[in-house]
Amino acid sequence: MKSTLTTSNTSAHWAEVGKSHPHESAVLHVSGTANYTDDMPELIGTLHAALGLSAQAHAKIVSINLDAVRAAAGVVAIYTAQDFPGTNQCGPIIKDDPILADSVVEYVGQPLFVVVAQSHEHARRAARLAIVDYESLPAILHPRAAKEAQSFVLPPMSLSRGNAQEAIAAAPLHIKGSWQVGGQEQFYLEGQIAYAIPKESNGVSVLCSTQHPSEMQHIVAHALAIPSHNVQVECRRMGGGFGGKESQSGLWAAAAALCAFRLKRPVKLRADRDDDMMVTGKRHEFHYDYEVAYNDQGLILGARFEMVSRAGFSADLSGPVATRAVCHVDNTYYLSDVDIRAMCGKTNTQSNTAFRGFGGPQGAILIEYVIDEIARLLVKDALDIRKLNFYGRNDEEGRNVTHYGQKVVDNIIHELVAELEDSSDYRRRRAEITAFNTNSPILKKGLALTPHKFGIAFNVTHLNQAGALVHVYLDGSVLVNHGGTEMGQGLNTKVAQVVAHELGVPLAQIRVTATDTAKIANTSATAASTGADLNGKAAQDAARQIRERLAEFAATTFGGDAQTVHFYDGQVVWGDHRLTFEELVNKAYFARVQLWSDGFYATPHLTWNSKTMTGSPFSYYAYGAAVSEVIVDTLTGEWKLIRADALYDAGNSLNPAIDIGQVEGAFIQGMGWLTTEELVWNAKGKLTTHAPSTYKIPAISDCPEDFRVRLFKNTNVANSIHHSKAVGEPPLLLPFSVFFAIRDAIASVGDGKVSPPLTAPATGEAILRAVTAVQQHSQHQ
C-alpha cells in the first residue's frame, strides 16, 4: 500500500524545476566523450554484420547464389530468412514486415540476407557480391496509383460530423482542388545500429539505438523463439531519433541478435548512411483532394477532405499516423460540417514510419493551405481568415468541440496569436512588404503567420503509461531509471530535475542511467511528445514515496508532525530540527527504512473508439504560432528566411532553455521538410536521394539571422508534470509560416490575386514552376 502522506519539498525561494539547467550530457557532447552504441568498447571476438539488399521494387526471388559472398575475405557466416528459430517478422502492429525477405521482395533496398565478417568493411563489401535471380512483378510506385488500384496496407478510415454535403451545397462560395506534401528522411546523426552479445542459457543482450527498447525486446524474443526475460535491450542515448528509431530499429536489432545467437559471439550491425536511407522508412508523403464551402467573410461552412499517404510496402505505423492526421486536420479551426477520408496507399517503396509530428503536420497543413487559398480568392489577409475560423473561447459552447468529439477546454490560441501579432509587428511589416514588392520586379518578399494546436498523448490509450525506479544512496546521491529514452531532447535532464525537486536536493546529486528492459518492463516508446509527461510523473511518484517515508521517520524519531517536514536545497527542516539530506538518509538506513522505490503513472481521462474515430484521445493541447518573412528570387527560385518569430505554449516549462532549444530545432527541421528536403524515386522504384549529396537538410546558413523564440506564459489546465506541456513534436508545425511566406512572395508576382500552385517541398525548382504559372495566369487575365 502506497502512502498518502503529504509532505513538502519546497521553500519560498527554492526549486529545481522551471530553471534553465544545462542538458545533463552537454559537457560530454561538446567534449566528444558521450558514449553512443558504436562507442561502447567491443568485446573480444566481436564480429561485424552487413545486409544484402534487393535491387528490384517488386519481384519473386527465383534463386540467390551466395557462393561469392561466402568466399569473400573475412566472411564468417551468412544468414537468411530460414535461419530464424522463431518468427521472421518486425512489424509493430500487423505482422506483414519480414526482417529478411523470403520468396518475394517488395522494394529496392529490402534486406535479403545478413553477412557476418571479421570487420565492418569486409561485411559490407561481401554483401554486394550476391547473385540474385528475380522474376519481376508489377510495382506500384505512387500513392495515387495505389488509390486507383485500391492497394492499401490497411482498410480506409473515415470520420464525419454534421452533413458536409448539404453544407457545401447550401454555401455561397466553394473551393475545390488537389495538393500534396512530400515525405522526409529522419537523417539522425547516429545511424541505425545494434550490438548483440550472447548470454548464458540462450540469452542475448542488445545495445541498440532505439526509441522503443521493449518493442526491440519483443521482436528479438519472437525471432529467436526465446522468452522475453532472456532478452535484455539497453539504450544509454541516441544521436537523434525523430521517430525513425521507434519501430524500424527492430530489423537491425533482430538481425544482429540472430547472428550473435547462432555464432555465440558478439555481433555489431551498423548501417552506413546510404544503406540506412535505402532500407528504412521516412515521414509519410500525403496527397489531398478537398472541397470547402465558405461565406464572403471567409468563414468555413463545410468541408470534404480525402488524404492518401505513401505507406510503403507494409503497415508499420501508417494506421496511427493516418489517425493522427485525421484528428489534426482541424488544426486551430472549428469545422461544423466535415467529412474526412484517409487511405494508406501500399506502394513498392520503403515502409514509411513515425517522424516527429506523426501525421499531425500532414493533417494540419491541409487546412492551412485551404485557408490560404480562401484568403487569396477573397483578397484578404490570411491571418484575418484564420482568426475568424478559430475554435471558440472556452466559454463558447458549440464552437469548442473537435470533429472527433473532444471538448477544447484550454483554448489560448486567441491570446497567443494576438500577442505574437503585436510583438512581431505583423501589420506594419505587411504594409512594408507590400510597398517593397511594388517597387521590386525580381526580388519578392513574403510574410505569413500560422498557428497550431497539437494533441498530446498516444491515440492508443494503453500506451499512455510509464514506470520508474529511484534509489537513494547513503551519501545522499540518487540514481534514477525510467522507461523513456534520451535522444538529445533533454528527457533525462527533465526527469532528474523532477526527482531533485521532489527530494529537495540539488540537481547535481541526481544521475539518470541507461534505459534498460531489465529494470523497467513493458515500456512505451519515447514518442508522441509524452516522454517527460509519462516518465516524469512515474519518477515523481517513486521519489515522493521515498520522501514521505523519510518524513515519517524524521517525525517519529525526533518528534513533530510528518506533514510539516520540508525538503529543500539538500536540507530537511521541521520545527526546531534541521538535518542535511545525507544525515537523514543515513539515520533512516540504520533504522531499516526503505530507501528506494518504484513509481508508476497512467494518464487519466483518455478515451478513443478506433471504429468510430471518436473520443477524447488527448490529455491536453499544446499551442503555438510563428511569423516568417522571406525573400524570393523569382529568376532562380532561391529564397532566404530573413526573420522568424515563434511563440510556443510550454505551460509551466520544466526547463525553459531546453524547451526553447527544442522549438528552434523543430522549426528548422520542419522548414527543411517543407522546402529543401525532397525524396525522389526513379522509374524502377529506387530511391535516388539516399545520401547528403542528393538529399538536402537545412544547414546553419539556412537559419534566419533574426530568430526570435519565446515561451508563452501559461499554466497547463491538465494535471501534467508540474503543469508543463510537451515540446517535442508540436513546434514542428511552426514553420508552416515559412512555406506560406514563400507562397505569399510568389503570389506578389501576380499582385497577390493569384493562388500559386506551389507544392511541398518548395524546392528552387518548385518555386520557379509556381512563379511561371502565376506569371502566365496574370498575362491571360
Side-chain angles (χ1 to χ4, degrees):
M1 179 70 70
K2 292 183 177 180
S3 169
T4 58
L5 176 70
T6 300
T7 64
S8 173
N9 63 322
T10 61
S11 73
H13 306 289
W14 188 88
E16 284 291 13
V17 295
K19 288 185 176 181
S20 291
H21 289 286
H23 190 288
E24 51 94 21
S25 295
V27 173
L28 302 180
H29 289 156
V30 299
S31 62
T33 55
N35 283 328
Y36 296 87
T37 302
D38 200 34
D39 297 318
M40 300 299 179
E42 293 178 3
L43 299 176
I44 295 175
T46 293
L47 300 171
H48 298 264
L51 299 174
L53 308 180
S54 165
Q56 293 208 15
H58 193 201
K60 292 181 180 178
I61 303 172
V62 178
S63 65
I64 303 181
N65 186 335
L66 298 173
D67 290 345
V69 182
R70 290 190 181 90
V75 170
V76 175
I78 304 169
Y79 298 107
T80 63
Q82 288 70 38
D83 291 306
F84 285 100
T87 56
N88 175 35
Q89 283 291 335
C90 58
I93 301 174
I94 297 175
K95 303 308 176 186
D96 62 347
D97 197 341
I99 301 165
L100 299 175
D102 185 11
S103 74
V104 175
V105 295
E106 297 194 78
Y107 72 97
V108 176
Q110 185 170 8
L112 300 170
F113 61 90
V114 55
V115 55
V116 187
Q118 297 291 345
S119 72
H120 174 74
E121 184 175 353
H122 281 138
R124 198 157 183 256
R125 287 183 179 277
R128 301 300 193 267
L129 301 178
I131 300 172
V132 184
D133 184 14
Y134 299 99
E135 180 184 326
S136 296
L137 298 170
I140 296 175
L141 301 177
H142 195 278
R144 289 199 180 273
K147 177 191 172 185
E148 186 176 341
Q150 293 293 288
S151 172
F152 306 120
V153 296
L154 294 163
M157 57 186 71
S158 62
L159 171 62
S160 63
R161 173 168 67 178
N163 192 318
Q165 184 174 351
E166 289 185 2
I168 292 172
L173 298 169
H174 307 81
I175 185 172
K176 187 176 184 179
S178 300
W179 193 55
Q180 69 185 64
V181 64
Q184 185 181 21
E185 165 64 32
Q186 289 86 357
F187 217 96
Y188 23 67
L189 291 181
E190 175 203 31
Q192 298 281 0
I193 183 170
Y195 184 30
I197 303 165
K199 298 291 184 179
E200 62 184 24
S201 302
N202 283 331
V204 63
S205 172
V206 183
L207 305 179
C208 186
S209 184
T210 180
Q211 296 171 236
H212 202 347
S214 285
E215 179 70 14
M216 301 307 102
Q217 181 187 38
H218 298 158
I219 291 172
V220 170
H222 292 150
L224 302 183
I226 58 179
S228 290
H229 69 219
N230 265 22
V231 180
Q232 179 184 9
V233 178
E234 179 181 319
C235 178
R236 170 58 184 96
R237 61 171 61 85
M238 286 166 276
F242 308 118
K245 296 175 181 176
E246 180 174 345
S247 63
Q248 301 227 340
S249 47
L251 185 153
W252 311 88
L258 170 67
C259 299
F261 188 78
R262 290 291 194 186
L263 293 169
K264 302 303 178 186
R265 290 177 65 178
V267 175
K268 180 184 288 187
L269 175 57
R270 172 173 60 83
D272 278 52
R273 181 65 62 181
D274 294 79
D275 290 347
D276 195 316
M277 293 181 73
M278 289 296 292
V279 173
T280 62
K282 296 89 173 64
R283 183 188 297 280
H284 290 70
E285 168 187 336
F286 268 61
H287 293 256
Y288 312 96
D289 294 305
Y290 60 87
E291 184 176 10
V292 178
Y294 57 99
N295 64 20
D296 58 3
Q297 298 301 307
L299 183 68
I300 295 174
L301 303 174
R304 277 205 296 257
F305 300 124
E306 186 173 274
M307 304 183 281
V308 184
S309 68
R310 179 191 290 273
F313 82 97
S314 71
D316 196 83
L317 297 171
S318 294
V321 166
T323 298
R324 188 166 279 266
V326 168
C327 288
H328 283 75
V329 78
D330 59 330
N331 197 17
T332 56
Y333 313 110
Y334 176 73
L335 303 175
S336 60
D337 295 83
V338 63
D339 182 86
I340 308 166
R341 301 179 188 275
M343 289 154 277
C344 303
K346 181 173 182 176
T347 57
N348 293 110
T349 52
Q350 290 82 355
S351 185
N352 284 329
T353 189
F355 196 134
R356 197 176 195 172
F358 202 78
Q362 294 98 311
I365 198 169
L366 173 57
I367 192 69
E368 293 298 337
Y369 184 82
V370 167
I371 284 180
D372 200 62
E373 286 278 272
I374 292 172
R376 304 247 170 254
L377 292 170
L378 294 177
V379 196
K380 293 178 179 286
D381 192 313
L383 175 58
D384 295 325
I385 307 298
R386 290 184 167 99
K387 291 164 73 173
L388 179 67
N389 284 282
F390 279 163
Y391 273 101
R393 288 180 167 84
N394 300 329
D395 57 352
E396 293 183 46
E397 290 295 332
R399 284 188 60 84
N400 62 351
V401 178
T402 66
H403 54 294
Y404 47 89
Q406 180 160 348
K407 189 173 183 179
V408 182
V409 298
D410 60 345
N411 189 10
I412 57 154
I413 198 62
H414 298 267
E415 295 79 7
L416 189 149
V417 166
E419 181 177 323
L420 181 64
E421 181 182 351
D422 180 64
S423 66
S424 67
D425 292 322
Y426 177 85
R427 300 293 176 179
R428 176 183 61 78
R429 291 165 64 197
R430 167 62 69 195
E432 290 175 352
I433 286 172
T434 300
F436 173 88
N437 288 336
T438 301
N439 298 306
S440 179
I442 305 301
L443 299 178
K444 298 290 186 180
K445 287 186 177 181
L447 186 72
L449 188 158
T450 58
H452 76 70
K453 170 182 67 68
F454 196 91
I456 303 300
F458 289 99
N459 270 75
V460 180
T461 303
H462 75 265
L463 296 178
N464 295 284
Q465 58 175 299
L469 288 172
V470 175
H471 294 176
V472 176
Y473 295 97
L474 295 184
D475 61 356
S477 65
V478 181
L479 195 68
V480 181
N481 192 268
H482 60 85
T485 53
E486 174 64 49
M487 60 196 91
Q489 83 279 38
L491 173 59
N492 284 352
T493 308
K494 289 183 174 181
V495 171
Q497 286 180 260
V498 168
V499 173
H501 186 82
E502 202 66 28
L503 294 176
V505 299
L507 183 60
Q509 288 182 223
I510 312 296
R511 178 169 174 252
V512 181
T513 57
T515 311
D516 188 339
T517 57
K519 295 178 180 177
I520 306 295
N522 310 318
T523 60
S524 294
T526 305
S529 302
T530 61
D533 282 1
L534 294 176
N535 296 286
K537 277 283 195 179
Q540 182 187 50
D541 179 42
R544 181 186 295 118
Q545 293 175 60
I546 297 171
R547 191 189 77 231
E548 290 175 350
R549 290 189 202 118
L550 290 172
E552 187 67 51
F553 165 74
T556 301
T557 304
F558 301 103
D561 184 350
Q563 295 189 16
T564 67
V565 179
H566 300 278
F567 294 73
Y568 61 89
D569 202 18
Q571 304 290 313
V572 184
V573 179
W574 72 108
D576 296 329
H577 302 283
R578 177 183 292 269
L579 293 172
T580 66
F581 182 75
E582 180 182 348
E583 289 171 338
L584 181 60
V585 164
N586 272 268
K587 293 180 183 299
Y589 167 74
F590 285 105
R592 296 185 295 179
V593 175
Q594 182 180 333
L595 295 174
W596 65 270
S597 187
D598 66 303
F600 181 77
Y601 178 72
T603 310
H605 314 306
L606 301 179
T607 61
W608 181 248
N609 185 322
S610 59
K611 293 181 179 179
T612 63
M613 298 193 76
T614 56
S616 294
F618 304 120
S619 177
Y620 59 87
Y621 296 102
Y623 300 88
V627 177
S628 291
E629 180 180 345
V630 303
I631 188 165
V632 174
D633 186 332
T634 59
L635 293 182
T636 66
E638 293 177 289
W639 64 278
K640 180 72 176 176
L641 177 58
I642 300 171
R643 174 179 165 184
D645 298 63
L647 185 59
Y648 183 74
D649 166 32
N652 282 338
S653 172
L654 293 174
N655 188 317
I658 283 179
D659 286 349
I660 287 173
Q662 284 290 291
V663 174
E664 291 171 343
F667 189 99
I668 299 302
Q669 188 172 53
M671 182 181 76
W673 167 49
L674 295 172
T675 58
T676 63
E677 299 184 44
E678 184 176 27
L679 294 167
V680 178
W681 287 265
N682 66 17
K684 294 183 179 180
K686 181 180 179 179
L687 180 69
T688 58
T689 50
H690 55 80
S693 57
T694 51
Y695 186 82
K696 299 300 183 181
I697 65 172
I700 189 67
S701 59
D702 296 304
C703 298
E705 290 185 11
D706 193 349
F707 198 6
R708 310 182 189 191
V709 176
R710 292 187 299 115
L711 300 181
F712 184 70
K713 292 182 179 179
N714 185 39
T715 297
N716 195 350
V717 298
N719 186 26
S720 60
I721 185 69
H722 290 283
H723 293 279
S724 63
K725 286 193 177 184
V727 75
E729 294 174 300
L732 192 128
L733 283 67
L734 294 173
F736 286 3
S737 58
V738 176
F739 178 84
F740 290 107
I742 293 173
R743 196 167 190 256
D744 184 55
I746 298 170
S748 71
V749 174
D751 296 326
K753 298 177 182 178
V754 180
S755 292
L758 181 67
T759 55
T763 61
E765 297 90 339
I767 289 172
L768 278 180
R769 287 193 295 268
V771 167
T772 301
V774 171
Q775 289 171 335
Q776 291 174 346
H777 187 279
S778 299
Q779 290 169 0
H780 291 124
Q781 282 187 325

